[in-house]
Amino acid sequence: MDGSRTIRVRKRDGSVEAFEARKLAASLLRVVGQAGENSYYVRQIAEAVKIYLLRRRWVCISSAAIFEMSVSALRSIGRSLAADAMEWHQLWRNTRRGRIRVRHDDRKETLWEKGWLCKLAVKCWFIRPTTARILVGQIEQQLISEGVRRVSRDELLEMLNNLMMAYGLADAVPVGQ
């Protein structure tokens, strides 16, 4: 088995990034940890998914397929509560995400989609797409947790700029937004 091969993951917003078992484990633990599971099972499942993908010689897979593999693996080892927690969390997050509207300068409103903000962060700040997804994911989580239904494009840019400065990734607000 060739462990050096890169498996690509297609995200919901259309972006593609390299599969990393440790990122999958961290993502799973955030949810299943709330169901009382420890990191041992989560790490083992993430490694099992990686091995399965390598053995199948998959080059690219959707994040939704990885999610389903993880839920299935949890159920197969008798961790149904953790699998239920993952499915509930995903449903809850998708429902909340779908309620957010972005107001643009021309007063047009669109559904929240973090892909455009990720692309803008990469372009303006010259950061890696993975870093942009993490930062914009934090913005999305803040919007969801605060129950925001409408947010202006300018407010989103301000939130991104503040995060960039808070993490020391920028000295000043970029030009050309």
Side-chain angles (χ1 to χ4, degrees):
M1 175 172 63
D2 180 10
S4 65
R5 226 171 25 86
T6 301
I7 301 163
R8 310 298 288 172
V9 178
R10 183 170 316 283
K11 302 292 187 169
R12 192 178 62 81
D13 65 5
S15 64
V16 178
E17 62 184 50
F19 174 83
E20 292 181 42
R22 78 177 164 74
K23 282 178 58 179
L24 174 58
S27 177
L28 294 172
L29 190 57
R30 279 194 300 273
V31 178
V32 301
Q34 297 169 4
E37 295 295 336
N38 63 33
S39 62
Y40 173 78
Y41 295 111
V42 169
R43 287 193 314 268
Q44 296 302 313
I45 287 171
E47 282 301 316
V49 167
K50 177 182 173 183
I51 291 167
Y52 176 81
L53 295 174
L54 287 169
R55 285 186 177 162
R56 292 288 210 175
R57 299 187 185 282
W58 285 13
V59 176
C60 190
I61 185 169
S62 72
S63 59
I66 290 174
F67 173 82
E68 291 301 325
M69 284 180 194
S70 301
V71 168
S72 180
L74 282 167
R75 289 197 193 291
S76 73
I77 63 168
R79 301 291 186 228
S80 293
L81 287 177
D84 291 345
M86 282 182 57
E87 290 179 323
W88 182 88
H89 179 75
Q90 184 184 48
L91 177 63
W92 176 84
R93 201 166 135 214
N94 288 341
T95 301
R96 296 302 184 275
R97 181 188 288 143
R99 294 179 180 167
I100 301 171
R101 305 286 186 264
V102 179
R103 282 187 318 275
H104 301 274
D105 293 335
D106 59 2
R107 297 187 187 198
K108 178 182 171 186
E109 284 190 2
T110 59
L111 287 174
W112 163 252
E113 175 56 58
K114 69 182 179 182
W116 71 270
L117 193 54
C118 289
K119 289 175 187 169
L120 185 67
V122 169
K123 178 182 167 189
C124 292
W125 294 102
F126 305 108
I127 58 175
R128 294 180 50 196
T130 303
T131 304
R133 286 187 56 75
I134 291 168
L135 295 172
V136 175
Q138 288 180 8
I139 291 171
E140 179 179 80
Q141 187 57 42
Q142 181 181 342
L143 295 172
I144 289 171
S145 67
E146 293 175 1
V148 172
R149 294 289 191 111
R150 285 185 167 62
V151 61
S152 74
R153 185 178 191 276
D154 290 340
E155 289 172 300
L156 291 169
L157 294 175
E158 174 98 14
M159 292 171 83
L160 177 62
N161 290 339
N162 289 338
L163 268 180
M164 293 298 293
M165 288 185 279
Y167 283 110
L169 297 172
D171 294 326
V173 177
V175 179
Q177 294 179 11

